[in-house]
Amino acid sequence: MKKILALAMAMTMGLGLVACGGGDSSADAAADTPAQDTVEAGDAAADAEAPEETPSAGAESYTVGICQLVQHEALDAATQGFKDALTEELGDAVVFDEQNAQNDSNTCSTIINGFVSSDVDLILANATPALQAAQAGTNEIPILGTSVTEYGVALGIEGFDGTVGGNISGTSDLAPLTEQAAMLQELFPDAENVGLIYCTAEANSQYQVDEVQKALEGMGYTCKQYGFSDSNDLSSVATTAVSENEVLYVPTDNTAASNAELLNNIAQPAKVPIIAGEEGICAGCGVATLSISYYDLGVGTGRMAAKILTGESDISTMPIEYAPQFTKKYNAELCDALGITVPDDYVAIGE
């Protein structure tokens, strides 16, 4: 809150008290809810439909800027979970300025600079390029990342110990990569060649395919990476990968997620299955995934934000939080089309 505005509000309240003889009041402190708790689906739907309210005059309020890299299922769910949790904690004391960068890192920088100029109280950076832009844009306004796989890689921190420090913290969507590799082996034990498709502009995508490749090669697979710079060359890269491999792996990659239908239109006719890094990509083009709930990830981030805004926690000492659980999921329609049978411990997407 701007100091001038706060002074003016205080003077106005003071005059009202002289005239009316009103008493003092204070807002209840936000509940200290564990970051890994989840919000019931019914409550989430109600919150999503409810219009955002403007804080009443005289009450302490907070403006939160949200920079989301691109619109797709996973990032959308994380943003919604964040808003629902923060609204649950602080009610109408929080106002959101939500903006989407349309998968352009330069636009992320523009959005962040706007938040800094507006002196927002906290920034949510949804996805790695948004976090990198926020890091470059301010070292004073608290920044929470979400849907970021590995903070040390994203922020260039050598020997990352789990706490960023300064004005940055957040939540990670990192799934157990060796377990994703094991899932591929479980479903396709007779395959020999695996192609790993990822966007070279996303540092955390490179990290994921490197780790999965190590695990798969340790299992005896022959692996090859297929990097694409943006959506313009994804089609040609995917076509080559499909022609040279029996199975593909796609990590939690935002550009791939935004083009899952394109990937499916290339891989499915060739009967080449895809193991995906997260549920949204799997729903569009994959047969199976070991995935987190991005909504729950957003909820955890929202609860972190409430503690920062109310002064309950110091962001500089808050470690990165991780998803509490992972679920084996499968795309029933695509598995049927490709004649793939999954074990009983897999859950169909949408159930």
Side-chain angles (χ1 to χ4, degrees):
M1 300 301 101
K2 300 294 184 182
K3 292 182 177 179
I4 296 176
L5 177 59
L7 180 58
M9 292 170 63
M11 293 174 64
T12 302
M13 293 175 63
L15 290 173
L17 291 173
V18 171
C20 302
D24 293 336
S25 64
S26 61
D28 293 336
D32 184 8
T33 308
Q36 292 182 348
D37 288 351
T38 59
V39 176
E40 295 296 333
D43 293 340
D47 290 339
E49 294 173 1
E52 296 178 359
E53 299 180 4
T54 301
S56 56
E60 183 166 12
S61 62
Y62 310 95
T63 299
V64 174
I66 299 176
C67 178
Q68 180 173 318
L69 174 64
V70 65
Q71 185 173 14
H72 65 69
E73 184 175 341
L75 300 191
D76 291 349
T79 292
Q80 190 61 57
F82 174 82
K83 292 170 64 178
D84 288 350
L86 193 48
T87 300
E88 180 181 346
E89 295 282 353
L90 301 181
D92 64 356
V94 61
V95 175
F96 300 102
D97 182 354
E98 184 177 350
Q99 299 190 41
N100 193 295
Q102 304 301 323
N103 208 22
D104 187 329
S105 58
N106 291 327
T107 303
C108 284
S109 297
T110 301
I111 292 170
I112 295 298
N113 289 338
F115 291 159
V116 173
S117 296
S118 299
D119 195 21
V120 299
D121 297 291
L122 182 142
I123 293 172
L124 174 71
N126 192 348
T128 298
L131 178 64
Q132 292 168 332
Q135 179 195 38
T138 178
N139 59 8
E140 296 181 356
I141 297 173
I143 299 167
L144 287 176
T146 193
S147 311
V148 176
T149 304
E150 218 289 328
Y151 280 73
V153 172
L155 302 178
I157 304 172
E158 294 186 9
F160 180 60
D161 64 0
T163 301
V164 177
N167 64 323
I168 299 176
S169 189
T171 56
S172 167
D173 62 359
L174 180 63
L177 298 175
T178 55
E179 292 182 30
Q180 289 186 350
M183 170 181 283
L184 188 150
Q185 183 185 45
E186 179 180 44
L187 296 177
F188 308 106
D190 298 327
E192 295 181 358
N193 300 297
V194 178
L196 303 102
I197 300 180
Y198 70 102
C199 180
T200 56
E202 299 188 34
N204 274 317
S205 295
Q206 179 73 69
Y207 170 78
Q208 291 173 81
V209 296
D210 285 346
E211 293 300 309
V212 170
Q213 179 171 345
K214 291 177 188 176
L216 289 173
E217 289 178 343
M219 299 171 184
Y221 291 97
T222 298
C223 299
K224 182 178 178 180
Q225 296 186 10
Y226 297 83
F228 58 92
S229 59
D230 54 37
S231 58
N232 294 323
D233 65 340
L234 174 57
S235 179
S236 61
V237 170
T239 299
T240 300
V242 163
S243 69
E244 296 177 349
N245 298 277
E246 298 141 281
V247 185
L248 301 180
Y249 172 79
V250 178
T252 56
D253 182 290
N254 292 294
T255 307
S258 300
N259 292 274
E261 183 178 357
L262 184 153
L263 285 169
N264 186 62
N265 291 340
I266 295 171
Q268 183 178 348
K271 298 190 179 301
V272 175
I274 295 174
I275 296 296
E278 56 92 3
E279 183 177 338
I281 296 175
C282 189
C285 66
V287 294
T289 183
L290 180 66
S291 184
I292 67 169
S293 165
Y294 277 81
Y295 180 86
D296 290 348
L297 195 72
V299 167
T301 319
R303 288 175 176 157
M304 293 175 75
K307 293 178 181 179
I308 294 165
L309 291 172
T310 59
E312 182 179 344
S313 296
D314 178 358
I315 191 170
S316 68
T317 64
M318 298 176 78
I320 301 302
E321 296 186 4
Y322 295 82
Q325 62 185 15
F326 307 90
T327 305
K328 287 183 174 181
K329 294 197 171 184
Y330 72 103
N331 183 329
E333 181 178 352
L334 193 50
C335 283
D336 288 344
L338 298 179
I340 297 170
T341 301
V342 301
D344 293 339
D345 59 340
Y346 284 63
V347 177
I349 292 174
E351 289 188 356

